[in-house]
Amino acid sequence: MPAAVRTLKPVQNPPGELENLFRAHHDRVFRTAHRITGSAADAEDVLQTVFLRLVKSRENYDFADHPEAYLSRAAINASLDLMRSRNRSRSVGLEDADAGTMESTARSPEAQHADRELQLLIRQAVSRLGETAGEMFVLRYYEGYDNQEIAKLLGTSQMVVGVVLHRARTKLRKEIGHYLEKHHE
């Protein structure tokens, strides 16, 4: 067969480090972002942001020790940044509307709306916490890490984590308490 007619076999390049990271951890990043933002579309934006930042960065990251910890923190911070920067409209996305219709029919539409409103209020209140407090709160109450694990991830003491979480809960309780008093009198 002449050389010009032969077909070339594709060369199988081994996936790069970032591709391996993406394949191994994209579900975790998406779930973390979805819990914080409450929106699949926003979670996808956060997922893309986290990995694009790694691609654009000229630094070499060493993920050998704890890639889950780094990527979880990156997802939390990107999600909180998104929540802080976006003035979200009061409209309900399609995925939220579909989920709402699948809820128990025993609950009234008014109760379902109040629940969604409260969830949005909590997300917004968490996004107004300081960077460290927001990150610790999400790691503890959204991701399920205990105080000792959070201290290790963030390079601080368990005592600091406990104090920051206590202050964050107090602040959230105050903000949400005002809402509850106003709407459930």
Side-chain angles (χ1 to χ4, degrees):
M1 187 183 294
V5 179
R6 272 187 263 162
T7 58
L8 298 174
K9 291 183 181 178
V11 177
Q12 295 293 327
N13 293 326
E17 181 181 8
L18 283 175
E19 186 176 349
N20 288 337
L21 277 172
F22 180 81
R23 288 176 189 222
H25 302 288
H26 74 279
D27 285 339
R28 170 187 291 276
V29 172
F30 179 85
R31 281 192 317 269
T32 298
H34 191 267
R35 277 187 228 129
I36 296 168
T37 64
S39 162
D42 287 345
E44 288 175 7
D45 288 347
V46 168
L47 174 67
Q48 185 177 25
T49 298
V50 167
F51 284 97
L52 280 177
R53 285 179 183 166
L54 290 175
V55 168
K56 289 179 181 179
S57 174
R58 298 286 182 222
E59 299 175 31
N60 289 326
Y61 292 99
D62 181 17
F63 296 109
D65 291 336
H66 298 289
E68 301 91 4
Y70 175 84
L71 293 170
S72 289
R73 289 182 68 188
I76 290 166
N77 289 329
S79 298
L80 291 174
D81 288 346
L82 179 71
M83 295 293 293
R84 287 179 187 119
S85 68
R86 183 172 289 169
N87 288 328
R88 299 182 63 130
S89 68
R90 289 291 204 189
S91 64
V92 177
L94 283 177
E95 73 266 6
D96 295 332
D98 290 341
T101 59
M102 295 171 63
E103 290 184 24
S104 170
T105 56
R107 302 198 49 222
S108 71
E110 183 179 329
Q112 292 175 11
H113 174 73
D115 286 349
R116 284 191 302 271
E117 195 172 281
L118 184 57
Q119 288 172 354
L120 178 61
L121 177 71
I122 292 168
R123 287 185 183 103
Q124 290 172 340
V126 169
S127 74
R128 286 190 293 272
L129 293 173
E131 186 173 321
T132 301
E135 189 172 357
M136 286 182 183
F137 188 87
V138 169
L139 285 170
R140 179 74 172 110
Y141 296 106
Y142 287 38
E143 295 296 310
Y145 288 93
D146 65 27
N147 288 8
Q148 184 177 9
E149 292 169 319
I150 296 169
K152 186 176 177 182
L153 285 172
L154 301 181
T156 189
S157 73
Q158 227 177 311
M159 178 79 77
V160 169
V161 172
V163 169
V164 170
L165 286 174
H166 174 75
R167 289 179 181 163
R169 284 190 308 268
T170 301
K171 183 177 179 180
L172 292 174
R173 199 174 292 127
K174 183 185 266 186
E175 274 193 54
I176 295 165
H178 291 304
Y179 168 83
L180 292 174
E181 287 173 5
K182 189 168 59 172
H183 286 79
H184 298 287
E185 293 178 334

